[in-house]
Amino acid sequence: MAALPQLLLTLFPAVTAVVFLLVASAPGARAHVSSSSSATYRCGWCPRRSTASILPPGAGALTGPACGYGGQAAEMAVDGGFHIAAVSAGFFRGGRACGACYQLRCRGRSACAKDGVKVVVVADVAETNMTGGKFLLTKDAFAALATADRAAELADAAVDVDFRRIPCVYKSKNLAVKVEETSSRDRGYLALRFLYQGGQTDIAAVEVAQAVTGSSGTKNEASPSQTTWQYMTRREASPSVWRMSRVPTGPLRLRLVVTAGSGGKWLRADGAVLPAEWQPGAVYDTGLRVTDVAANTCGAASCSATDEDDDAEQLR
């Protein structure tokens, strides 16, 4: 824990108060997060509205590298009962929207389905490639905005939609980490991206440590003082990627802070997440399941924030 104050002061001044609260309440908390199984929305639908349109043909965004899912994106969506979607660059916020789940419903059309469609963000598309709107959907997702017998009535360029952030639910997947292709064991450089992040949460801090092993090669829980945690950083230009330039050798453990808009908690994976011979491009299971649900889906406590800049650092 000696590295935590330095982590807070250097990297996360915006969440310092939150994380100090966490330190006072068992920072070594283990894998499973307790939360209500049903979502409650203090704000309901967000006061700001958007538009949705069909993803331009040939954009290739949903299988691209933006959020790290690649060809697994469609499988990920089916696993949670969601469709996959891209968003405009402004809404994408440099990657902060990666993996976030939303419910969309169209407005002003008699064909609009009451519950709309659930989507998970897996990519962004530049505004110059858009036919209009902030949410860009596959044909199936766009059709799901309408009642089953009237989908053809929404087949124009864009529709107005209400939206709200909802919890992501994955039936068969734990939180995972992907080792970015730029990582190199020889250079001691490690870059990680988190995948299949459940609940309605943001990751505020990440630390890594060499997995302590005894003579038998197993994790040595009797010597917690031998675990030296080192913080990872992220750049404003790509906030969904966590990096460190002097990664410890050997198998690696991970712990992280997740927040749900107000407050947060430490999660620590049992045992090593990355093997000693971790490989760039590989995906590793943390064994953690994140299920926390935010009470406020639109950001400001008053539920009335409508300015884009005000929303920049909010859980949305």
Side-chain angles (χ1 to χ4, degrees):
M1 293 306 300
L4 184 57
Q6 184 180 1
L7 165 66
L8 297 175
L9 294 174
T10 306
L11 300 176
F12 306 105
V15 296
T16 299
V18 170
V19 181
F20 271 116
L21 271 175
L22 303 175
V23 174
S25 57
R30 297 285 182 94
H32 299 289
V33 183
S34 60
S35 72
S36 170
S37 59
S38 60
T40 57
Y41 301 104
R42 181 187 305 163
C43 298
W45 298 92
C46 293
R48 208 175 66 249
R49 295 183 172 88
S50 184
T51 54
S53 57
I54 296 177
L55 191 74
L62 299 188
T63 57
C67 292
Y69 290 100
Q72 305 170 65
E75 176 190 351
M76 170 192 70
V78 170
D79 183 64
F82 289 73
H83 290 271
I84 52 179
V87 292
S88 62
F91 196 92
F92 194 62
R93 295 181 296 156
R96 291 183 187 274
C98 274
C101 295
Y102 295 89
Q103 183 180 6
L104 314 177
R105 66 179 183 189
C106 63
R107 302 167 47 244
R109 306 286 190 92
S110 58
C112 293
K114 178 182 178 181
D115 294 328
V117 63
K118 298 185 298 182
V119 300
V120 55
V121 174
V122 299
D124 69 322
V125 174
E127 276 85 347
T128 54
N129 295 330
M130 293 171 56
T131 56
K134 289 191 175 182
F135 290 92
L136 294 103
L137 312 179
T138 63
K139 289 183 179 180
D140 289 344
F142 193 80
L145 286 170
T147 57
D149 58 337
R150 303 180 67 179
E153 297 183 32
L154 299 185
D156 54 2
V159 295
D160 293 329
V161 292
D162 294 316
F163 70 93
R164 63 182 176 188
R165 186 169 175 180
I166 62 174
C168 296
V169 179
Y170 299 109
K171 299 175 183 177
S172 60
K173 296 184 183 298
N174 298 322
L175 180 69
V177 288
K178 179 180 180 181
V179 178
E180 293 288 277
E181 284 77 2
T182 55
S183 301
S184 169
R185 291 199 314 275
D186 293 339
R187 293 188 290 111
Y189 176 74
L190 176 64
L192 299 178
R193 187 189 298 270
F194 286 87
L195 307 178
Y196 315 120
Q197 185 177 334
Q200 197 176 358
T201 58
D202 289 336
I203 294 176
V206 178
E207 292 187 331
V208 64
Q210 186 179 46
V212 179
T213 56
S215 58
S216 62
T218 59
K219 178 165 51 89
N220 185 359
E221 292 286 6
S223 304
S225 61
Q226 297 182 34
T227 301
T228 302
W229 293 98
Q230 301 178 45
Y231 60 81
M232 303 188 78
T233 64
R234 57 182 178 181
R235 296 175 184 168
E236 188 60 33
S238 53
S240 61
V241 178
W242 297 84
R243 306 169 173 83
M244 69 181 313
S245 57
R246 295 183 179 180
V247 62
T249 58
L252 301 176
R253 301 179 66 187
L254 291 175
R255 68 180 182 183
L256 56 143
V257 173
V258 295
T259 70
S262 58
K265 63 182 66 179
W266 281 98
L267 297 181
R268 186 184 69 200
D270 284 327
V273 173
L274 272 62
E277 299 298 316
W278 52 262
Q279 297 295 323
V283 176
Y284 299 99
D285 190 340
T286 68
L288 301 172
R289 282 206 174 239
V290 183
T291 58
D292 283 38
V293 174
N296 186 331
T297 65
C298 299
S302 65
C303 303
S304 61
T306 58
D307 185 81
E308 186 75 19
D309 293 334
D310 290 343
D311 284 349
E313 299 301 325
Q314 295 169 350
L315 179 65
R316 72 172 194 189

